[in-house]
Amino acid sequence: EAGRGNRPGGLLNAVDFATDEQGVIVGDVGRIYLTHDGGTTWEQLPRVIDLDLYDVQFLNDKVGFIAGGYFSEGTILHTQNGGRSWGVLAHLENAVYALHMVNERIGWAVGREGYIWHTQNGWRNWQVQTRLPGEHPTLYDVLFLDTSKVWAVGTEGRIVATTDGGRTWQMQNSGTDVVLMKIAYNQRDALIVVGDWNTILRYQDDTLLRYARLSVEASGKRLTQWGRVKSELYQNFPNPFNPETWMPYQLATPSEVT
């Protein structure tokens, strides 16, 4: 751990654009790359911090945020010039794997050990809003639809949600125990979560239509719990085998299997 600042970086973890020409990539060991030409060429910026960087989000053509960390060290970086330079905004208790800012003052961040942080009165004042129970839980992504409705996803099929701005968080029944990595809103009536083993989960609810960017009609369909998009049968292994093999599968709905 003492020498991690000198280890070669191997992963690029996230990318976002402030404008159609200016964008930022973040990666391991504090690496930040900037493009001025829409991604044709990239330059590496001077290192601000040695911690791994996992997520980047721009709010407009100037203001952006980066989340990162390494085990029990967490950080949030900030830019006000479209990503040309970055400064450390906050030091947090554990690695931060994702953030989602509502605006320049309000946002959520999630990470290692099940931490959920929140700021609502200024970028520099991040507070622990809750910490999930369990043995070493981790949250990998967070999504808000408004300042009261927020979802976060992570290890062992964890999906947690709040409808009161984070005062209380409820565990959702995801129907799986795989690692869940990302959550997104489809701009209609559903939330989509993806994770290990080609897992795709969908939660459909017509009340989500109020957040749609485009005018769409209600479908009349509603899922009372998270469901898989489709059933999957995966490659058996080992293959060839003798005397036995494992045939993993997942089901879109509870069913009998032969």
Side-chain angles (χ1 to χ4, degrees), residues 125-201:
N125 187 13
W126 288 83
Q127 302 293 328
V128 176
Q129 195 166 58
T130 192
R131 185 180 178 186
L132 301 186
E135 185 175 354
H136 306 302
T138 294
L139 295 172
Y140 287 116
D141 199 17
V142 60
L143 168 74
F144 80 90
L145 293 183
D146 60 28
T147 55
S148 62
K149 291 189 176 183
V150 185
W151 287 262
V153 300
T155 53
E156 297 180 334
R158 288 180 175 87
I159 301 177
V160 293
T162 179
T163 58
D164 56 16
R167 287 188 293 273
T168 59
W169 290 84
Q170 301 295 325
M171 191 74 70
Q172 306 288 291
N173 179 16
S174 69
T176 183
D177 60 0
V178 304
V179 176
L180 302 177
M181 295 300 299
K182 292 292 181 181
I183 180 171
Y185 174 49
N186 74 346
Q187 300 303 323
R188 290 179 62 87
D189 59 352
L191 303 176
I192 306 295
V193 172
V194 296
D196 280 1
W197 288 99
N198 295 327
T199 297
I200 306 174
L201 305 179

Side-chain angles (χ1 to χ4, degrees), residues 5 11 15 38 40 42 70 76 99 102 109 119 154 156 162 165 190 195 203 218 221 247 254:
L11 289 176
V15 60
T40 302
W42 296 86
Y70 192 81
I76 294 177
L99 58 76
V102 182
T119 183
E156 297 180 334
T162 179
Y203 182 87
K221 300 177 182 178
M247 302 177 70

Side-chain angles (χ1 to χ4, degrees), residues 175-180 193-201 227-239 241 245-252 257-258:
T176 183
D177 60 0
V178 304
V179 176
L180 302 177
V193 172
V194 296
D196 280 1
W197 288 99
N198 295 327
T199 297
I200 306 174
L201 305 179
R228 297 190 187 280
V229 172
K230 63 178 181 178
S231 299
E232 288 279 0
L233 176 63
Y234 301 105
Q235 176 65 49
N236 67 302
F237 60 91
N239 183 19
F241 64 92
T245 188
W246 183 33
M247 302 177 70
Y249 65 88
Q250 292 183 338
L251 300 177
V257 175
T258 299

Side-chain angles (χ1 to χ4, degrees), residues 82-96:
R84 289 187 294 273
S85 62
W86 295 83
V88 177
L89 189 66
H91 294 281
L92 302 179
E93 294 88 345
N94 259 283
V96 186

